[in-house]
Amino acid sequence: MRITIVGAGLAGCWLAWRLLDRGIDVTVVDPLPSVSSSTVAAGLINPITGPRFQTTWKGALVVPLAEQAYGAVARSTGATVMRSLRLRRLLRDADSVRRVQQRQEQGEYDWLDVHTLPAGSMDGVDAAHGAIDVPALAINTEAFLHAVRSRIRAEGTMLESHADATIVPGPPADIVVWCMGWHAATDPRWSWIPFAPVRGDILDVYIPGYDIPYILTGGVWLIPMGNCQYRLGSTYDWEALHTTPLPEKAEELLVKAQALIRRPLTVLNHKAAVRPAILTRRPVIGAHPDNPRHWIFNGLGTKGAVLAPWMSAHLTECILDGAEPDPETTISQYLPR
């Protein structure tokens, strides 16, 4: 079988990795280099998310699998693609404390090494209601993409070219999988899926004299990069769907970060990208209802780093083994009833 993948971001590269492992003839088409949500992504894998402190979707499955999968890529390629860190998230009020206690009592966090930290000062940060301390991963998405693309070039075919509805470069394929990110929202073949692309800005900053070994979150997140440098994010914008850095977005992040740590920050770099999100907040996979030769893998949203390893393995089983797509991710749920 010969499969062409359109898009070499997290979705496309993870799918290519899985297919190469199965001995499939893979061609990946992408007009490199370009700015995308995969290249800009912070790569943060946080098992507890949202204002209600719930575990991430399918967390007990996808988080350990992601750690194993990125570890396998690192061992296979020699690339440094993952760091294991602790993450401290401030509890903003008494209701947050209550929610965390309730979820602990109900066993929702049992698969995690979660600690509750008491109220007080935490490395100069005012944790008036305490914090939770959880395991997290920081994925170097650029290193990961470079490593996987190198394998594609060595074992498959990598074409730095555009593809569209009428022309897919490369040899004829039995199946074409479209991993084109938020651009699928404007493609007539897929635009009937309820996409909700959202722009995100992140900064690389320097904070003199501030050197913590953990990820800190409280309105914004700070990922330590070493030598008092941090990755700071992120914004959410459903209107300005472009990748030009906007000064007002940088200011928004800086104001929140300074309120959190009460220290001056120097901006080293500013990037922006558009995340391929869907209204259901779930990824989507499946064959096109009118042309089953064409499949889609999209909608990873803000959780691409943690969802792509499992979703790519699941999609590989659907394509090669005839498995049924997970009901929360199948494209068929969006078909007219």
Side-chain angles (χ1 to χ4, degrees):
M1 177 180 285
R2 179 177 289 159
I3 296 178
T4 293
I5 300 169
V6 179
L10 280 171
C13 280
W14 262 117
L15 181 59
W17 187 273
R18 301 298 192 185
L19 293 172
L20 288 171
D21 280 350
R22 294 285 296 268
I24 300 300
D25 185 349
V26 175
T27 296
V28 178
V29 181
D30 193 297
L32 305 175
S34 62
V35 175
S36 70
S37 59
S38 294
T39 59
V40 173
L44 174 59
I45 296 181
N46 175 10
I48 297 179
T49 64
R52 295 179 176 83
F53 294 84
Q54 69 269 29
T55 54
T56 194
W57 178 66
K58 293 187 181 293
L61 169 66
V62 301
V63 173
L65 189 147
E67 185 170 15
Q68 296 167 7
Y70 285 108
V73 171
R75 291 188 296 273
S76 176
T77 64
T80 302
V81 301
M82 177 180 67
R83 291 184 295 148
S84 297
L85 297 165
R86 301 296 296 185
L87 181 149
R88 295 185 179 182
R89 178 177 175 183
L90 299 186
L91 302 176
R92 62 184 177 275
D93 52 30
D95 186 58
S96 298
V97 175
R98 180 187 61 79
R99 288 183 185 277
V100 168
Q101 290 175 340
Q102 187 177 56
R103 293 187 185 279
Q104 286 178 310
E105 292 168 359
Q106 293 172 346
E108 185 173 336
Y109 301 158
D110 283 357
W111 60 280
L112 290 167
D113 178 25
V114 178
H115 303 281
T116 302
L117 304 179
S121 179
M122 188 174 64
D123 293 310
V125 173
D126 181 17
H129 296 275
I132 56 171
D133 180 281
V134 302
L137 300 172
I139 306 302
N140 185 331
T141 56
E142 290 187 274
F144 169 78
L145 295 174
H146 177 77
V148 176
R149 290 167 183 172
S150 294
R151 183 187 179 190
I152 295 167
R153 292 185 179 98
E155 301 179 28
T157 303
M158 186 85 194
L159 298 179
E160 297 185 16
S161 178
H162 287 275
D164 57 36
T166 58
I167 300 175
V168 179
D174 299 295
I175 289 176
V176 179
V177 184
W178 295 83
C179 306
M180 54 196 299
W182 77 281
H183 298 290
T186 60
D187 185 324
R189 287 166 304 173
W190 311 109
S191 58
W192 46 274
I193 298 170
F195 287 102
V198 55
R199 172 200 171 97
D201 289 63
I202 64 173
L203 305 177
D204 291 325
V205 298
Y206 173 66
I207 309 175
Y210 193 66
D211 195 9
I212 57 174
Y214 54 84
I215 301 165
L216 176 64
T217 70
V220 291
W221 42 254
L222 285 162
I223 303 175
M225 308 301 289
N227 300 317
C228 299
Q229 295 183 26
Y230 297 82
R231 189 145 289 173
L232 166 63
S234 174
T235 62
Y236 295 83
D237 187 335
W238 288 265
E239 301 295 333
L241 299 181
H242 58 79
T243 60
T244 302
L246 297 174
E248 60 268 30
K249 300 300 180 183
E251 182 65 18
E252 176 185 338
L253 291 171
L254 290 172
V255 167
K256 291 180 178 179
Q258 287 168 338
L260 176 64
I261 63 172
R262 300 179 183 179
R263 290 172 178 266
L265 298 85
T266 300
V267 176
L268 304 176
N269 195 16
H270 180 185
K271 294 181 180 180
V274 181
R275 310 174 183 101
I278 293 177
L279 284 176
T280 58
R281 298 186 179 182
R282 297 289 182 263
V284 61
I285 59 173
H288 193 283
D290 297 325
N291 190 343
R293 176 173 162 263
H294 290 264
W295 288 59
I296 192 169
F297 178 15
N298 208 305
L300 294 175
T302 61
K303 298 182 177 5
V306 69
L307 291 179
W310 175 69
M311 286 299 304
S312 59
H314 179 47
L315 177 56
T316 297
E317 293 172 347
C318 294
I319 294 174
L320 301 184
D321 305 327
E324 289 294 323
D326 180 276
E328 291 188 77
T329 67
T330 179
I331 193 175
S332 63
Q333 67 186 297
Y334 305 117
L335 294 175
R337 300 294 180 180

PDB file of all heavy atoms in Angstrom, residues 119-149:
ATOM      1  N   ALA A 119      -0.865  27.135  51.134  1.00  0.00           N
ATOM      2  CA  ALA A 119      -0.846  28.568  50.831  1.00  0.00           C
ATOM      3  C   ALA A 119       0.427  29.200  51.371  1.00  0.00           C
ATOM      4  O   ALA A 119       0.983  28.767  52.384  1.00  0.00           O
ATOM      5  CB  ALA A 119      -2.078  29.235  51.432  1.00  0.00           C
ATOM      6  N   GLY A 120       0.874  30.239  50.676  1.00  0.00           N
ATOM      7  CA  GLY A 120       2.076  30.944  51.101  1.00  0.00           C
ATOM      8  C   GLY A 120       2.861  31.440  49.912  1.00  0.00           C
ATOM      9  O   GLY A 120       2.378  31.440  48.775  1.00  0.00           O
ATOM     10  N   SER A 121       4.097  31.852  50.154  1.00  0.00           N
ATOM     11  CA  SER A 121       4.970  32.320  49.084  1.00  0.00           C
ATOM     12  C   SER A 121       5.694  31.137  48.461  1.00  0.00           C
ATOM     13  O   SER A 121       6.207  30.262  49.163  1.00  0.00           O
ATOM     14  CB  SER A 121       5.981  33.331  49.625  1.00  0.00           C
ATOM     15  OG  SER A 121       6.850  33.766  48.602  1.00  0.00           O
ATOM     16  N   MET A 122       5.722  31.100  47.141  1.00  0.00           N
ATOM     17  CA  MET A 122       6.336  29.991  46.401  1.00  0.00           C
ATOM     18  C   MET A 122       7.336  30.585  45.416  1.00  0.00           C
ATOM     19  O   MET A 122       6.982  31.055  44.334  1.00  0.00           O
ATOM     20  CB  MET A 122       5.236  29.197  45.675  1.00  0.00           C
ATOM     21  CG  MET A 122       5.687  27.912  45.026  1.00  0.00           C
ATOM     22  SD  MET A 122       4.260  27.011  44.356  1.00  0.00           S
ATOM     23  CE  MET A 122       3.678  28.150  43.081  1.00  0.00           C
ATOM     24  N   ASP A 123       8.624  30.588  45.829  1.00  0.00           N
ATOM     25  CA  ASP A 123       9.671  31.208  45.000  1.00  0.00           C
ATOM     26  C   ASP A 123       9.291  32.635  44.621  1.00  0.00           C
ATOM     27  O   ASP A 123       9.456  33.055  43.463  1.00  0.00           O
ATOM     28  CB  ASP A 123       9.948  30.378  43.749  1.00  0.00           C
ATOM     29  CG  ASP A 123      10.576  29.032  44.072  1.00  0.00           C
ATOM     30  OD1 ASP A 123      11.566  29.015  44.828  1.00  0.00           O
ATOM     31  OD2 ASP A 123      10.065  28.006  43.598  1.00  0.00           O
ATOM     32  N   GLY A 124       8.765  33.364  45.603  1.00  0.00           N
ATOM     33  CA  GLY A 124       8.404  34.757  45.381  1.00  0.00           C
ATOM     34  C   GLY A 124       7.036  34.979  44.786  1.00  0.00           C
ATOM     35  O   GLY A 124       6.600  36.122  44.636  1.00  0.00           O
ATOM     36  N   VAL A 125       6.332  33.899  44.458  1.00  0.00           N
ATOM     37  CA  VAL A 125       4.985  33.998  43.896  1.00  0.00           C
ATOM     38  C   VAL A 125       3.971  33.858  45.026  1.00  0.00           C
ATOM     39  O   VAL A 125       4.097  32.973  45.876  1.00  0.00           O
ATOM     40  CB  VAL A 125       4.750  32.908  42.826  1.00  0.00           C
ATOM     41  CG1 VAL A 125       3.307  32.892  42.372  1.00  0.00           C
ATOM     42  CG2 VAL A 125       5.690  33.130  41.647  1.00  0.00           C
ATOM     43  N   ASP A 126       2.974  34.716  45.025  1.00  0.00           N
ATOM     44  CA  ASP A 126       1.948  34.686  46.059  1.00  0.00           C
ATOM     45  C   ASP A 126       0.940  33.584  45.747  1.00  0.00           C
ATOM     46  O   ASP A 126       0.093  33.734  44.867  1.00  0.00           O
ATOM     47  CB  ASP A 126       1.250  36.045  46.138  1.00  0.00           C
ATOM     48  CG  ASP A 126       0.175  36.072  47.225  1.00  0.00           C
ATOM     49  OD1 ASP A 126       0.193  35.184  48.096  1.00  0.00           O
ATOM     50  OD2 ASP A 126      -0.682  36.979  47.184  1.00  0.00           O
ATOM     51  N   ALA A 127       1.051  32.480  46.471  1.00  0.00           N
ATOM     52  CA  ALA A 127       0.102  31.368  46.311  1.00  0.00           C
ATOM     53  C   ALA A 127      -0.878  31.430  47.471  1.00  0.00           C
ATOM     54  O   ALA A 127      -0.825  30.635  48.416  1.00  0.00           O
ATOM     55  CB  ALA A 127       0.848  30.041  46.276  1.00  0.00           C
ATOM     56  N   ALA A 128      -1.794  32.386  47.412  1.00  0.00           N
ATOM     57  CA  ALA A 128      -2.681  32.674  48.535  1.00  0.00           C
ATOM     58  C   ALA A 128      -3.576  31.495  48.897  1.00  0.00           C
ATOM     59  O   ALA A 128      -3.995  31.367  50.051  1.00  0.00           O
ATOM     60  CB  ALA A 128      -3.536  33.901  48.205  1.00  0.00           C
ATOM     61  N   HIS A 129      -3.876  30.634  47.902  1.00  0.00           N
ATOM     62  CA  HIS A 129      -4.727  29.476  48.156  1.00  0.00           C
ATOM     63  C   HIS A 129      -3.983  28.167  47.902  1.00  0.00           C
ATOM     64  O   HIS A 129      -4.612  27.108  47.774  1.00  0.00           O
ATOM     65  CB  HIS A 129      -5.983  29.552  47.290  1.00  0.00           C
ATOM     66  CG  HIS A 129      -6.860  30.723  47.606  1.00  0.00           C
ATOM     67  ND1 HIS A 129      -7.800  30.709  48.606  1.00  0.00           N
ATOM     68  CD2 HIS A 129      -6.909  31.975  47.064  1.00  0.00           C
ATOM     69  CE1 HIS A 129      -8.422  31.879  48.674  1.00  0.00           C
ATOM     70  NE2 HIS A 129      -7.899  32.662  47.741  1.00  0.00           N
ATOM     71  N   GLY A 130      -2.674  28.243  47.799  1.00  0.00           N
ATOM     72  CA  GLY A 130      -1.883  27.057  47.559  1.00  0.00           C
ATOM     73  C   GLY A 130      -1.761  26.734  46.074  1.00  0.00           C
ATOM     74  O   GLY A 130      -2.067  27.557  45.201  1.00  0.00           O
ATOM     75  N   ALA A 131      -1.319  25.522  45.799  1.00  0.00           N
ATOM     76  CA  ALA A 131      -1.099  25.100  44.412  1.00  0.00           C
ATOM     77  C   ALA A 131      -1.162  23.584  44.350  1.00  0.00           C
ATOM     78  O   ALA A 131      -1.111  22.899  45.372  1.00  0.00           O
ATOM     79  CB  ALA A 131       0.249  25.602  43.907  1.00  0.00           C
ATOM     80  N   ILE A 132      -1.312  23.070  43.151  1.00  0.00           N
ATOM     81  CA  ILE A 132      -1.142  21.641  42.931  1.00  0.00           C
ATOM     82  C   ILE A 132       0.148  21.426  42.154  1.00  0.00           C
ATOM     83  O   ILE A 132       0.527  22.248  41.299  1.00  0.00           O
ATOM     84  CB  ILE A 132      -2.335  20.993  42.198  1.00  0.00           C
ATOM     85  CG1 ILE A 132      -2.623  21.692  40.859  1.00  0.00           C
ATOM     86  CG2 ILE A 132      -3.551  20.968  43.078  1.00  0.00           C
ATOM     87  CD1 ILE A 132      -3.629  20.952  40.008  1.00  0.00           C
ATOM     88  N   ASP A 133       0.829  20.342  42.476  1.00  0.00           N
ATOM     89  CA  ASP A 133       2.102  19.997  41.857  1.00  0.00           C
ATOM     90  C   ASP A 133       1.900  18.662  41.147  1.00  0.00           C
ATOM     91  O   ASP A 133       1.569  17.654  41.780  1.00  0.00           O
ATOM     92  CB  ASP A 133       3.189  19.901  42.923  1.00  0.00           C
ATOM     93  CG  ASP A 133       4.540  19.537  42.356  1.00  0.00           C
ATOM     94  OD1 ASP A 133       4.775  18.333  42.080  1.00  0.00           O
ATOM     95  OD2 ASP A 133       5.378  20.434  42.199  1.00  0.00           O
ATOM     96  N   VAL A 134       2.081  18.667  39.814  1.00  0.00           N
ATOM     97  CA  VAL A 134       1.788  17.469  39.013  1.00  0.00           C
ATOM     98  C   VAL A 134       2.940  17.187  38.054  1.00  0.00           C
ATOM     99  O   VAL A 134       3.722  18.095  37.718  1.00  0.00           O
ATOM    100  CB  VAL A 134       0.481  17.647  38.203  1.00  0.00           C
ATOM    101  CG1 VAL A 134      -0.687  17.933  39.121  1.00  0.00           C
ATOM    102  CG2 VAL A 134       0.625  18.757  37.161  1.00  0.00           C
ATOM    103  N   PRO A 135       3.081  15.958  37.596  1.00  0.00           N
ATOM    104  CA  PRO A 135       4.086  15.662  36.568  1.00  0.00           C
ATOM    105  C   PRO A 135       3.654  16.237  35.227  1.00  0.00           C
ATOM    106  O   PRO A 135       2.470  16.256  34.893  1.00  0.00           O
ATOM    107  CB  PRO A 135       4.126  14.135  36.537  1.00  0.00           C
ATOM    108  CG  PRO A 135       2.759  13.724  36.994  1.00  0.00           C
ATOM    109  CD  PRO A 135       2.327  14.754  38.000  1.00  0.00           C
ATOM    110  N   ALA A 136       4.614  16.706  34.448  1.00  0.00           N
ATOM    111  CA  ALA A 136       4.329  17.272  33.130  1.00  0.00           C
ATOM    112  C   ALA A 136       5.482  16.959  32.191  1.00  0.00           C
ATOM    113  O   ALA A 136       6.561  16.523  32.621  1.00  0.00           O
ATOM    114  CB  ALA A 136       4.108  18.786  33.229  1.00  0.00           C
ATOM    115  N   LEU A 137       5.237  17.169  30.911  1.00  0.00           N
ATOM    116  CA  LEU A 137       6.263  16.981  29.890  1.00  0.00           C
ATOM    117  C   LEU A 137       6.360  18.244  29.047  1.00  0.00           C
ATOM    118  O   LEU A 137       5.350  18.902  28.781  1.00  0.00           O
ATOM    119  CB  LEU A 137       5.924  15.801  28.981  1.00  0.00           C
ATOM    120  CG  LEU A 137       5.787  14.429  29.639  1.00  0.00           C
ATOM    121  CD1 LEU A 137       5.260  13.413  28.640  1.00  0.00           C
ATOM    122  CD2 LEU A 137       7.121  13.972  30.210  1.00  0.00           C
ATOM    123  N   ALA A 138       7.563  18.575  28.647  1.00  0.00           N
ATOM    124  CA  ALA A 138       7.789  19.665  27.703  1.00  0.00           C
ATOM    125  C   ALA A 138       8.406  19.054  26.448  1.00  0.00           C
ATOM    126  O   ALA A 138       9.525  18.528  26.494  1.00  0.00           O
ATOM    127  CB  ALA A 138       8.709  20.734  28.296  1.00  0.00           C
ATOM    128  N   ILE A 139       7.668  19.096  25.345  1.00  0.00           N
ATOM    129  CA  ILE A 139       8.115  18.509  24.090  1.00  0.00           C
ATOM    130  C   ILE A 139       8.760  19.590  23.225  1.00  0.00           C
ATOM    131  O   ILE A 139       8.180  20.656  23.001  1.00  0.00           O
ATOM    132  CB  ILE A 139       6.941  17.875  23.321  1.00  0.00           C
ATOM    133  CG1 ILE A 139       6.198  16.871  24.216  1.00  0.00           C
ATOM    134  CG2 ILE A 139       7.440  17.212  22.042  1.00  0.00           C
ATOM    135  CD1 ILE A 139       7.042  15.752  24.760  1.00  0.00           C
ATOM    136  N   ASN A 140       9.962  19.313  22.763  1.00  0.00           N
ATOM    137  CA  ASN A 140      10.621  20.206  21.810  1.00  0.00           C
ATOM    138  C   ASN A 140      10.078  19.851  20.426  1.00  0.00           C
ATOM    139  O   ASN A 140      10.591  18.958  19.755  1.00  0.00           O
ATOM    140  CB  ASN A 140      12.136  20.031  21.877  1.00  0.00           C
ATOM    141  CG  ASN A 140      12.886  21.023  20.996  1.00  0.00           C
ATOM    142  OD1 ASN A 140      12.369  21.479  19.974  1.00  0.00           O
ATOM    143  ND2 ASN A 140      14.109  21.345  21.375  1.00  0.00           N
ATOM    144  N   THR A 141       9.015  20.544  20.030  1.00  0.00           N
ATOM    145  CA  THR A 141       8.322  20.157  18.792  1.00  0.00           C
ATOM    146  C   THR A 141       9.204  20.356  17.564  1.00  0.00           C
ATOM    147  O   THR A 141       9.139  19.570  16.617  1.00  0.00           O
ATOM    148  CB  THR A 141       7.014  20.946  18.630  1.00  0.00           C
ATOM    149  OG1 THR A 141       7.279  22.349  18.678  1.00  0.00           O
ATOM    150  CG2 THR A 141       6.034  20.584  19.743  1.00  0.00           C
ATOM    151  N   GLU A 142      10.033  21.385  17.564  1.00  0.00           N
ATOM    152  CA  GLU A 142      10.898  21.606  16.398  1.00  0.00           C
ATOM    153  C   GLU A 142      11.918  20.482  16.266  1.00  0.00           C
ATOM    154  O   GLU A 142      12.177  19.998  15.158  1.00  0.00           O
ATOM    155  CB  GLU A 142      11.576  22.969  16.508  1.00  0.00           C
ATOM    156  CG  GLU A 142      10.614  24.134  16.336  1.00  0.00           C
ATOM    157  CD  GLU A 142      11.321  25.475  16.272  1.00  0.00           C
ATOM    158  OE1 GLU A 142      11.575  26.050  17.336  1.00  0.00           O
ATOM    159  OE2 GLU A 142      11.602  25.941  15.152  1.00  0.00           O
ATOM    160  N   ALA A 143      12.496  20.050  17.387  1.00  0.00           N
ATOM    161  CA  ALA A 143      13.444  18.933  17.332  1.00  0.00           C
ATOM    162  C   ALA A 143      12.746  17.649  16.903  1.00  0.00           C
ATOM    163  O   ALA A 143      13.291  16.849  16.128  1.00  0.00           O
ATOM    164  CB  ALA A 143      14.112  18.748  18.695  1.00  0.00           C
ATOM    165  N   PHE A 144      11.526  17.438  17.405  1.00  0.00           N
ATOM    166  CA  PHE A 144      10.762  16.255  17.017  1.00  0.00           C
ATOM    167  C   PHE A 144      10.470  16.264  15.522  1.00  0.00           C
ATOM    168  O   PHE A 144      10.682  15.257  14.828  1.00  0.00           O
ATOM    169  CB  PHE A 144       9.456  16.198  17.800  1.00  0.00           C
ATOM    170  CG  PHE A 144       8.487  15.173  17.283  1.00  0.00           C
ATOM    171  CD1 PHE A 144       8.650  13.832  17.566  1.00  0.00           C
ATOM    172  CD2 PHE A 144       7.423  15.557  16.471  1.00  0.00           C
ATOM    173  CE1 PHE A 144       7.763  12.887  17.066  1.00  0.00           C
ATOM    174  CE2 PHE A 144       6.530  14.621  15.967  1.00  0.00           C
ATOM    175  CZ  PHE A 144       6.709  13.277  16.269  1.00  0.00           C
ATOM    176  N   LEU A 145       9.975  17.386  14.998  1.00  0.00           N
ATOM    177  CA  LEU A 145       9.645  17.461  13.579  1.00  0.00           C
ATOM    178  C   LEU A 145      10.885  17.249  12.715  1.00  0.00           C
ATOM    179  O   LEU A 145      10.833  16.540  11.700  1.00  0.00           O
ATOM    180  CB  LEU A 145       9.008  18.811  13.265  1.00  0.00           C
ATOM    181  CG  LEU A 145       7.647  19.084  13.918  1.00  0.00           C
ATOM    182  CD1 LEU A 145       7.195  20.506  13.636  1.00  0.00           C
ATOM    183  CD2 LEU A 145       6.595  18.092  13.450  1.00  0.00           C
ATOM    184  N   HIS A 146      12.005  17.833  13.114  1.00  0.00           N
ATOM    185  CA  HIS A 146      13.242  17.664  12.348  1.00  0.00           C
ATOM    186  C   HIS A 146      13.665  16.192  12.321  1.00  0.00           C
ATOM    187  O   HIS A 146      14.049  15.659  11.265  1.00  0.00           O
ATOM    188  CB  HIS A 146      14.348  18.519  12.961  1.00  0.00           C
ATOM    189  CG  HIS A 146      15.681  18.361  12.278  1.00  0.00           C
ATOM    190  ND1 HIS A 146      15.972  18.961  11.071  1.00  0.00           N
ATOM    191  CD2 HIS A 146      16.793  17.643  12.633  1.00  0.00           C
ATOM    192  CE1 HIS A 146      17.198  18.639  10.702  1.00  0.00           C
ATOM    193  NE2 HIS A 146      17.714  17.834  11.626  1.00  0.00           N
ATOM    194  N   ALA A 147      13.565  15.524  13.479  1.00  0.00           N
ATOM    195  CA  ALA A 147      13.980  14.124  13.557  1.00  0.00           C
ATOM    196  C   ALA A 147      13.085  13.237  12.697  1.00  0.00           C
ATOM    197  O   ALA A 147      13.578  12.358  11.969  1.00  0.00           O
ATOM    198  CB  ALA A 147      13.952  13.662  15.011  1.00  0.00           C
ATOM    199  N   VAL A 148      11.778  13.456  12.765  1.00  0.00           N
ATOM    200  CA  VAL A 148      10.864  12.610  12.007  1.00  0.00           C
ATOM    201  C   VAL A 148      10.979  12.896  10.510  1.00  0.00           C
ATOM    202  O   VAL A 148      10.954  11.965   9.689  1.00  0.00           O
ATOM    203  CB  VAL A 148       9.420  12.801  12.490  1.00  0.00           C
ATOM    204  CG1 VAL A 148       8.447  11.991  11.637  1.00  0.00           C
ATOM    205  CG2 VAL A 148       9.296  12.391  13.946  1.00  0.00           C
ATOM    206  N   ARG A 149      11.111  14.156  10.143  1.00  0.00           N
ATOM    207  CA  ARG A 149      11.270  14.475   8.720  1.00  0.00           C
ATOM    208  C   ARG A 149      12.537  13.849   8.161  1.00  0.00           C
ATOM    209  O   ARG A 149      12.575  13.422   6.993  1.00  0.00           O
ATOM    210  CB  ARG A 149      11.271  15.984   8.526  1.00  0.00           C
ATOM    211  CG  ARG A 149       9.903  16.630   8.771  1.00  0.00           C
ATOM    212  CD  ARG A 149      10.000  18.142   8.891  1.00  0.00           C
ATOM    213  NE  ARG A 149       8.706  18.744   9.200  1.00  0.00           N
ATOM    214  CZ  ARG A 149       8.540  20.030   9.506  1.00  0.00           C
ATOM    215  NH1 ARG A 149       9.590  20.835   9.552  1.00  0.00           N
ATOM    216  NH2 ARG A 149       7.336  20.497   9.779  1.00  0.00           N
TER     217      ARG A 149
END
